[in-house]
Amino acid sequence: MPAGVMIPARNMPSMITGNGSVSGYGTSSGLTLGQQPNNMMEGQLHPLEMTQNASESEIVRMRDEEFDSTNKSGSENHELGGSGDDQDPRPNKKKRYHRHTQHQIQEMEAFFKECPHPDDKQRKELGRELGLEPLQVKFWFQNKRTQMKTQHERHENTQLRTENEKLRADNMRYREALSTASCPNCGGPTAVGQMSFDEHHLRLENSRLREEIDRISAIAAKYVGKPVVNFPLLSSPAPPRPFDFGSQPVTEEMYGVGDLLRSISAPSEADKPMIIELAVAAMEELVRMAQMGEPLWMTSLDGTTCMLNEEEYIRTFPSGIGPKPTGFKCEASKETTVVIMNHINLVEILMDVNQWSTLFSGIVSKASTLDVLSTGVAGNYNGALQVMTAEFQVLSPLVPTRESYYVRYCKQHAEGTWAVVDVSLDTIRPSPTVRCRRRPSGCLIQEMPNGYSKVTWVEHVEVDDGGVHNLYKQLVSSGHAFGARRWVSTLDRQCERLASLMASNIPTGDVGVITNQDGRKSMLKLAERMVISFCGGVSASTAHTWTTLSGTGADDVRVMTRKSVDDPGRPPGIVLSAATSFWLPVSPKRVFDFLRDEHSRSEWDILSNGGAVQEMAHIANGRDPGNCVSLLRVNSANSSQSNMLILQESCTDPTASFVIYAPVDIVAMNVVLNGGDPDYVALLPSGFAILPDGMTVTDVGMADSGGSSGSLLTVAFQILVDSVPTAKLSLGSVATVNNLIACTVERIKASLSCDNA
């Protein structure tokens, strides 16, 4: 829920100087739950079921006994007078009451905890042990169940009332705040009919609030016995329309709202046998697909990837997980590589969701394990089964992420040979929001000498890619964005990075090489956190809502805000993230070499103010010289300004390249270089994601002189615009950041065009 209405911005850094005028506030809309009277029906004593042979006096006696025993289930033993329906219609005959002994009550209470529904045999056995009739035992258990149900319903009703009042108070607070809001420029009341940047986000929060109220209403209806009354909206919601950012029209653009991942819970007990059966069948299919060649797999026209023959696949695997959904496209590929990692360690990383999502942070934006059906046998992951959710990404706001709900199964097939398979569970729990499902996908891992492993990766998905921007259509449809080659290339590069982290024989001849083992580990760990933070804030994830600033050209800048509070790894305040993606007519390698080179940094980095950039230290973490972590110093041209340090990681593989950096504090970096804890170094990473455009040299003559096609470049900045988390974001600040990123893009285009010429 929204934290409240944001106040006018203050303490703005000197870089952000634009004065955007706040157009005004609308009124938030939300639902409140009416306070319900406590009309929960008390549990009724169960009617007695007597046989025809029982006498009337026996019926009266046994009913009285059970009524008494239920109300005396605690430690009370005093007499009760009859009342209400329990009064004998014959006033002259005194009613007899039978009280269970403390021992009988304790024994039945203990049995109730183990088995609340005893059968006839159990009732007879318990009655024989306690000296009671089976019917007495039966009625005691019936009344005890009614008593427990009543207590549970009272507790649930209390919780619902508390949450109901909280929601109502929150909505009233927002309504009062909006009604008294004033313009930060003139001090007058805000103009109704125009929407501020912050109110836009407030409306989104209110829509989520309405969903939460509907959920609580459904729960209340279940326990109270009738629907909770929905009060009308505090104000009618304004129709969706463009809102004004100065002179630029801005429209909301949201890639999904995470309905799939939010709505999924752990599987039920009834689902588990079907999940296990599906996982076993998927494992068999994966191993066969990994080992088969033609005609199942065909080499692509450019000779770089193996593509699936769909007709042959249907003939080879007729059962599968069902036909392809209407409107979905098939993406399937296979790739093999040898990586510098022991096969056991590789299996452990794949089966640990945190290590797996960290290793593939450029592909996996978020992931979680919902349930562990099996942890494996013999102390390893052989036979391990996990139900998971994950969101897969391309580092650009122009490509929607892909949500998936699936089971992951690990199995050892022979000595030194393992396989890990994923398969979607949509057939067990269908969802109309599913836009991507994983057919059996994963990898076959084989042990190699000297601690290496041979990995054969199969990636097979069916997806609705209608939301992909035209710039990325070719890259996605060719399979290069999410395919097997992307996975194994990332795995190979990350294995090299881990090997460099463990290396101890560092040559000392080169200037600036960090040889201190503790310092290397701390700096690499800090750089890893920087990369993960960057990757988590660039894509069109369902966790983020981008607002599009429509520029004068084809390039659109997407912006979003985050509030940072009590996060030691991020400076406190309001952080503005801005990102844009565009095409360049030069090869990805040329773009990567230009951006990572400290000597050409002044050509595009506006924040360095034209100062010379010098590399102070670096750690090589791969065979390619472009894979390294560097510590850069900006020597400002203005002697009155203190020098600034920049932590930068550049990494490249055949499918993607990244240059990610963040300003760092000198004192904090000295601690890190001496082996100190890097988790408390505050970072706001910015940088670049460089991808091939998916075209070949035969496509429309778009190749450069190097013989390769163009590049897709994503530029992303994270900037602290106010150090007070509760401050209101100035629209002028947004415009300034927009101009900053647009100017950076123009400088890059100009430099690379001159270089290309």
Side-chain angles (χ1 to χ4, degrees), residues 65 124 148 172 289 294 361 376 449 485 536 639 729-730 756:
E65 288 171 352
K124 290 179 182 178
M148 296 299 293
M172 292 300 296
M289 291 185 71
E294 294 184 355
S361 58
R485 190 162 183 249
S639 59
L729 179 64
S730 165
N756 191 38

Side-chain angles (χ1 to χ4, degrees), residues 684-709:
L684 280 179
S686 300
F688 308 92
I690 309 155
L691 300 173
D693 58 10
M695 299 182 184
T696 63
V697 275
T698 59
D699 291 329
V700 210
M702 290 185 176
D704 66 0
S705 58
S708 59
S709 55

